[in-house]
Amino acid sequence: MSQRFSILIFALIMAVLPLIPGMPPYWIVLLDNIGLAALVAMGLVLLTGVGGLTSFGQAVFCGFGAYTTAVLSTQYGLSPWLTLPASLVVSGIAAVILGIVTVRLSGHYLPLSTIAWGIGIYYLFSKLEFLGRNDGIGRVPPLQIGSYQMLDAGSIYYAIWFFVIASAILTLNLLDSRTGRGIRALRRGHIAAEAFGVATGWAKLLVFIHAAVLAGLSGWLYAHFQRAVMPTPFGAQAGIEYLFIAVVGGAGYVWGGVLGAAIVVILKEVLQGYLPLIFGGQGQLEIIVFGIMLVALVQLAPGGVWPWLVGLLPFKTTSQRPDTSVALAAPARAAAPAGPLLRIDNARKQFGGVTAVNDVSFDVGAREILALIGPNGAGKSTTFNLITGVLKATSGTVTFAGQPIIDAAPQTITQLGISRTFQHVKLVPDMTVLENVAIGAHLRGRSGAIASMLRLDRADEAALLAEAARQIERVGLGDQIDHLAGSLSLGQQRIVEIARALCVNPMLLLLDEPAAGLRHMEKQRLATLLRQLRDGGMSVLLVEHDMGFVMDLADRIVVLDFGTRIAEGTPQAIMKNPDVIKAYLGGVA
Ligand code: ADP
Ligand code: MG
């Protein structure tokens, strides 16, 4: 069943729900509250569930949205439809300011800081004179279309659920795009994403703004629903509750936010309604039971209720394979001058007292497979990191296609035509093979967040996915294209990394231990692929411990030991070199 069809059915159900004869008006109020909470939770799904940035402070953004419209509509007489963009902009600007200070933090400091500004801004709301202090602002006008005033719960219901469904569609569109892949790589795999040009700092700020604008929208609706604004619903307790909603529903899923809102709002209402009857009006008891039930729910369905429900469905949503005939323009690059493609001259890297790379020099020619070998700790991975700009060299130079790249940023180096795989595989396990590989083509796409949300990115996206699919076919993983990367064997994951690197359309491919964990047949297939790439004009620099594999494949070999180059030559010469045998080959043989 296609996603669009499911959303249509859901929208139809929501449209007819209030029309059911005998539906108690009080239920409509509950549905309104569910919609309002769902908007906030949807933002948290993106921020916390997908992006990994836990926020306890989302309620204050509802406050920014609610107070903006309350002030503008009561004191300046503006129509609510004019205050809507104002509310969203104010929430968005607040998110930029708070986001810039927040997303830089890591570990526990990030959620802690959201609690801090969550409490601080709540006090600000309740102390400021022009926001009415603790009494808030009353007489907020209702929403109105023509002469139709949305005065009661039943009439504003359609406005609320229109915004919930529209926001869900925009959010789903965003996640399913070039920008969305960058966001989904934030939690696990941001190092690799950065290497392929994903601006992870911007992606974090973007999800922060997106979540805040959705909360601001919820606040705007709330103000015109309640027709009054008071500080209480924007405090730290509400912030915690929103986070709970997202986690209970399924923090990684947009519809999980909606489901979580339904579960929590209804549960709270039922407990508040019935427990006092059973226990004779003992106050606050419902909060304790509510807490216990939420903890139990999280235990029963650790990933949230939504993925658990989807798992029970008899049918699966299907994903389409990309049309590989769509072309992606090759990146514009200056032709490399004659001479070696990559030249490393006296490169040195010191970590404190350890000299990991000790004045190493070597070249990689055009159409050459060069192997870098040596014992563990010899400095091979560090050399890779110097070439790719991940580490700054202490001294020395690296030149690629005639250009010095020693101080260039990793993204610039990727654009020049060097791409890599990692010794410790860095894929996003809960993204498909196709989506992971498409991250490699990130710099060859253009579309940004707004274009993605509005689906104006489809041509660009089709070209990126087609390129990713072609590279997956090329490395022989066509059958696994829609599998989750985390479900593949380690050896296959290494091959996925090669496909991702090929999406850069590189002139030089850097492979850090590509054959580790591969079976014999897989190694042979990898060797064939690398020879084909070389014969097609690409250069390959690889680090590898499997000597059979290296001797068979490499045109030339450079041997490192304790950060120093101890030999260089053809496989035959290296095999007989007494220094190499003493330092390395003797050990592995
Ligand atoms: P190889 O890949 O050849 O096994 P590495 O390049 O990973 O070796 O490491 C070379 C040396 O540099 C080792 O002694 C290692 O402990 C040290 N080293 C590598 N990275 C760092 C780092 N970030 N900080 C401190 N020491 C490091
Ligand atoms: Mg290494």
Side-chain angles (χ1 to χ4, degrees):
M1 194 153 83
S2 86
Q3 193 177 346
R4 233 180 263 177
F5 188 61
S6 324
I7 295 175
L8 190 67
I9 292 187
F10 178 70
L12 283 176
I13 293 175
M14 293 315 288
V16 297
L17 215 50
L19 306 177
I20 296 173
M23 172 79 126
Y26 161 73
W27 285 20
I28 305 284
V29 177
L30 273 189
L31 286 169
D32 287 348
N33 285 328
I34 290 170
L36 292 174
L39 280 170
V40 188
M42 216 181 271
L44 274 173
V45 160
L46 208 63
L47 185 67
T48 301
V50 180
L53 309 170
T54 306
S55 169
F56 290 92
Q58 267 344 76
V60 306
F61 296 111
C62 300
F64 281 113
Y67 276 110
T68 303
T69 190
V71 169
L72 291 179
S73 60
T74 58
Q75 288 168 28
Y76 299 91
L78 286 185
S79 142
W81 300 112
L82 291 178
T83 64
L84 171 61
S87 286
L88 302 187
V89 167
V90 169
S91 317
I93 291 174
V96 172
I97 295 167
L98 292 171
I100 285 175
V101 289
T102 307
V103 299
R104 288 167 193 275
L105 302 172
S106 57
H108 302 308
Y109 294 104
L110 193 148
L112 278 179
S113 84
T114 66
I115 296 178
W117 50 250
I119 295 174
I121 292 171
Y122 164 69
Y123 275 107
L124 204 64
F125 287 149
S126 58
K127 295 284 176 269
L128 285 177
E129 187 66 50
F130 80 106
L131 298 183
R133 298 175 179 262
N134 277 318
D135 298 332
I137 300 173
R139 297 166 176 275
V140 176
L143 295 182
Q144 193 169 352
I145 297 177
S147 61
Y148 177 68
Q149 291 194 317
M150 302 184 200
L151 285 169
D152 57 12
S155 52
I156 201 171
Y157 170 91
Y158 285 99
I160 292 176
W161 281 93
F162 165 79
F163 282 113
V164 171
I165 292 172
S167 303
I169 293 172
L170 295 182
T171 307
L172 285 165
N173 287 351
L174 177 64
L175 278 175
D176 175 32
S177 73
R178 173 176 176 269
T179 310
R181 283 187 290 273
I183 294 170
R184 291 160 69 194
L186 285 177
R187 197 161 40 97
R188 304 204 257 170
H190 71 279
I191 294 175
E194 269 166 30
F196 291 99
V198 176
T200 54
W202 163 240
K204 284 183 188 172
L205 192 59
L206 182 75
V207 286
F208 207 78
I209 297 169
H210 184 86
V213 168
L214 287 180
L217 174 61
S218 172
W220 175 83
L221 282 162
Y222 174 84
H224 296 287
F225 174 39
Q226 294 294 326
R227 313 276 308 281
V229 176
M230 288 208 300
T232 344
F234 312 125
Q237 191 180 338
I240 294 171
E241 211 170 285
Y242 286 130
L243 195 57
F244 240 124
I245 288 175
V247 171
V248 164
Y253 307 85
V254 172
W255 295 112
V258 180
L259 182 66
I263 293 173
V264 170
V265 169
I266 292 174
L267 197 62
K268 219 167 103 173
E269 204 57 37
V270 168
L271 292 178
Q272 270 169 354
Y274 292 98
L275 276 191
L277 297 181
I278 301 171
F279 293 98
Q282 299 287 326
Q284 307 296 307
L285 190 66
E286 74 272 6
I287 295 183
I288 299 170
V289 177
F290 176 62
I292 294 171
M293 290 183 100
L294 288 185
V295 171
L297 255 183
V298 173
Q299 294 282 329
L300 286 173
V305 179
W306 177 260
W308 174 78
L309 265 187
V310 170
L312 294 181
L313 289 180
F315 52 87
K316 297 274 166 275
T317 50
T318 46
S319 57
Q320 275 182 329
R321 286 189 167 227
D323 171 7
T324 49
S325 65
V326 186
L328 178 65
R333 284 188 194 124
L341 183 64
L342 180 78
R343 165 159 279 170
I344 294 160
D345 201 9
N346 276 311
R348 185 179 189 85
K349 181 66 193 179
Q350 274 171 254
F351 295 108
V354 179
T355 306
V357 177
N358 189 1
D359 298 336
V360 167
S361 303
F362 64 90
D363 292 342
V364 183
R367 291 175 184 252
E368 183 180 40
I369 299 180
L370 182 82
L372 197 57
I373 67 170
N376 275 326
K380 306 180 295 292
S381 292
T382 306
T383 305
F384 266 35
N385 287 331
L386 295 180
I387 299 171
T388 48
V390 173
L391 292 174
K392 289 270 160 276
T394 311
S395 61
T397 59
V398 180
T399 320
F400 178 70
Q403 289 197 44
I405 57 167
I406 197 79
D407 290 321
Q411 172 172 342
T412 314
I413 294 172
T414 306
Q415 254 159 340
L416 286 172
I418 299 182
S419 66
R420 69 174 299 180
T421 65
F422 294 87
Q423 178 176 353
H424 304 287
V425 170
K426 295 191 196 307
L427 298 171
V428 187
D430 51 7
M431 268 162 64
T432 65
V433 168
L434 178 69
E435 290 165 329
N436 268 289
V437 172
I439 287 181
H442 190 81
L443 288 171
R444 297 173 71 185
R446 288 281 152 275
S447 306
I450 304 277
S452 309
M453 282 196 233
L454 301 176
R455 278 292 193 242
L456 302 173
D457 64 337
R458 289 299 97 182
D460 193 47
E461 179 73 358
L464 288 191
L465 292 180
E467 175 69 8
R470 277 193 294 271
Q471 301 305 343
I472 292 167
E473 296 281 343
R474 192 178 187 183
V475 301
L477 284 178
D479 289 341
Q480 278 80 18
I481 190 165
D482 49 9
H483 293 199
L484 293 183
S487 72
L488 268 52
S489 72
L490 188 61
Q492 285 178 321
Q493 294 190 25
R494 290 190 182 284
I495 306 294
V496 174
E497 285 216 336
I498 295 179
R500 182 176 62 189
L502 288 175
C503 277
V504 170
N505 192 11
M507 292 195 272
L508 174 66
L509 191 58
L510 266 55
L511 307 175
D512 203 346
E513 306 202 12
L518 260 59
R519 288 186 295 246
H520 183 66
M521 287 293 288
E522 292 174 321
K523 281 183 192 175
Q524 284 185 328
R525 248 181 280 141
L526 175 62
T528 310
L529 171 70
L530 296 181
R531 280 193 201 100
Q532 278 169 0
L533 293 174
R534 174 195 59 193
D535 298 341
M538 210 177 282
S539 302
V540 179
L541 173 60
L542 72 121
V543 164
E544 188 47 65
H545 282 298
D546 183 329
M547 276 311 114
F549 182 81
V550 167
M551 294 298 170
D552 197 33
L553 180 68
D555 299 312
R556 238 165 10 108
I557 297 178
V558 169
V559 190
L560 292 184
D561 190 26
F562 290 112
T564 308
R565 192 189 74 176
I566 58 167
E568 178 183 335
T570 60
Q572 296 76 17
I574 292 294
M575 280 225 270
K576 293 189 213 109
N577 184 312
D579 292 338
V580 178
I581 293 170
K582 190 162 142 240
Y584 184 50
L585 293 180
V588 291

